[in-house]
Amino acid sequence: MEGLVTAALFLLGLLLIVKGGDYFVDAAVWMAEISGIPQFIIGATVVSLATTLPELMVSVMGVLQGEVDLAVGNAVGSVTANLGLIMGLSVVCIPSVVKRAQFSLKAILMAAAAALLLALCQGGALPLLPSMGLLVIFAVFVWANIRDAKQSISQRDPHSRRDISRRRILIMTCKFILGVVGIIVGSELLINEGSAIAVFLGVPASIIGVTMVAVGTSLPELVTTVSAIVKREASMSIGNIIGANVIDLTMILPVCSLISGGQLAISAQTVLLDLPACLLLVITAILPPLLTGRFYRTQGAMMLLLYAGYVVRLIL
C-alpha cells in the first residue's frame, strides 16, 4: 500500500511540473512580448527567480535540520545539473545564436561567482564576511538586467504596443502563479519520494545532495527548458539557466552561512570534486558563445558527457 501511495505521489508531481511548466513559459513569453523586454532578460530575472525557489528552500531547510552536506551539495549540484544536463539538452536541441550585449556580462558574472566560491571554500568552510563578495556579484547581475530591460523598452517602437485587456492580464497572471505553484509542489513531491528511497538504500547525504536532490530542485529549470524547446523559445531557456545559476551561486550559500552562525562547513568532496566540476561546466557553457556569439550542438553534447562523467565519478 505504501508503495502505491509513493507511486501515486510521484505521478502527481510529474503531472504538476509538466502542466506548470507549460503555463509558466506561456506567461513568461507573454510578459516579454507585451513589455518589449527580450526573452533572455525575462528568463534571467522573473523566470529564474521563480525556478530557484526549490533550491533555496531545500538548502535552508537542510541547514536548519543539521544536514549541511545536503544543503551545500544541493546548491552546487543544482548549478552543475543546470549546465551539464539541462543547458546541454537545450543546446543539443536548439543550438541558438545569442546577443552578446545581453549575454556576455551575465555569463562572466556566473563564471566569477563559481571561481570565487571555489576559492572561498578551500579552507573547508565558507565564512560569512568573505561570502559577501558573492552578494556583490548578484547585485551587479541585477543591475545589468535592469539596465538592459530599460534600454530595450526605450528602443521599442511605440506604435508596436498593443492594447491589453484586463481579462488577458488576469488569465496570464493566473497562468504564471499556477505554473510556479505547480512546478514547486511537483518538484517537492519528486524530491521527497526520491530522497526517501535513496536514504533507505544507504546513499550518503553529500551524494544525494549533488545528484538526486540537485536534479530534483532543478526540475523547474528542466521543465521550463523542455517547454521552451517545444515552443522554440531557446533564448528564454538560456536566460533562465544563466539567471538561476547566478542566484544559486551567489545567494543560497551565503544565506546558509548566515543561518549556520557565520561559518558554513564545506566537505572535502565539495572542494575537490563538486566545485571544480561546476567551474569546468561553466567554462564549457560560456566560452563558445562569448567568442562566436552562438552555441553549438557539439558543445551541448560535450556538456552532457561531462555531466555524465561527473555523476559516474560520484557513484564510483
Side-chain angles (χ1 to χ4, degrees), residues 43 104 149 184 227 235:
S104 297
I184 292 174
S227 297
S235 184

Side-chain angles (χ1 to χ4, degrees), residues 98-140:
V98 297
K99 292 183 178 179
R100 279 190 275 186
Q102 295 172 6
F103 176 83
S104 297
L105 178 58
K106 286 91 169 179
I108 291 169
L109 289 172
M110 179 174 67
L116 178 59
L117 189 58
L118 176 60
L120 292 176
C121 292
Q122 288 302 305
L126 179 63
L128 178 60
L129 192 58
S131 73
M132 292 300 103
L134 295 168
L135 294 179
V136 171
I137 293 175
F138 176 71
V140 175

